[in-house]
Every structure is written in structure tokens, then in C-alpha cells.
Amino acid sequence: PAGAAYDRYRAALESNPQDHGTRLELARKLNEDNRILDSLGQYESLVFSEAQLSQLEVEVGELVQARPDVPQARRVLGDIFMREGRLQDALDTYRSALEQL
């Protein structure tokens, strides 16, 4: 993301894209700044790298509760459940996201 507030994160991730701690901090900062879709993009990157899944489940779950109007958050939560092997939870979560569209 552009902007001085994100320069530190951008520099760290450019030098090491696998810096999961920095990526998680960036996702939190974006969420705090109400840049929900950008935040979800960062969470999604972490999901696909299978980094910190239990922490991601908590944070994205809280985001779903706080912003039930954002189906993309439910999709990312479904992706987390898939990576954790919780197939029925993933399917239920994907369905609820589709119902919002």
C-alpha cells in the first residue's frame, strides 16, 4: 500500500517477502486504518503460506464479527479452515459468503 504510514512494512516485505510477522503487523495496521480489503489481501497471503493459522483464525474471525457485511472476510476465514483441514467449517463459511453476494 502507498503512503508514508506503510513505508516500513513495504521496505521489510520487499527485502523479505516471507517475513510473516511484518505481514501480520501490516494486515493489522490496514484493518485499523479501515482498509479492510487491503488488510484481507495481507491475511490471505499469510493463509497461503500457512503461517500462524490459529492466530489468523482468531483475527479474521473477529473481523467477520465486526464487519459481517464484507463477504471477502468470510471467504478468507473459509480458506483458513481449509488449510486447517476443517472442511465442513470451510464449506459452511464459503456458503455464508456466497449468500451475501
Side-chain angles (χ1 to χ4, degrees):
Y6 303 106
D7 287 346
R8 178 180 72 83
Y9 303 108
R10 188 173 36 256
L13 291 171
E14 284 175 1
S15 68
N16 180 8
Q18 299 304 315
D19 183 348
H20 303 308
T22 297
R23 191 170 300 281
L24 184 56
E25 287 178 29
L26 174 58
R28 291 171 177 158
K29 172 72 171 143
L30 289 163
N31 187 31
E32 178 183 303
D33 292 346
N34 205 33
R35 296 181 62 176
I36 303 303
L37 297 180
D38 291 330
S39 174
L40 288 169
Q42 298 302 316
Y43 280 121
E44 192 168 40
S45 292
L46 290 164
V47 171
F48 288 123
S49 66
E50 297 188 7
Q52 306 176 25
L53 288 176
S54 61
Q55 182 63 37
L56 296 178
E57 181 183 339
V58 169
E59 291 187 25
V60 175
E62 289 172 353
L63 182 57
V64 166
Q65 293 298 317
R67 296 293 306 268
D69 58 319
V70 180
Q72 296 90 333
R74 291 181 191 277
R75 185 189 50 77
V76 173
L77 185 58
D79 292 344
I80 293 168
F81 291 147
M82 284 292 291
R83 296 286 177 161
E84 291 176 328
R86 297 171 52 189
L87 303 181
Q88 188 60 54
D89 289 333
L91 186 58
D92 294 342
T93 304
Y94 289 140
R95 278 191 185 124
S96 69
L98 283 172
E99 289 171 1
Q100 287 185 288
L101 298 177

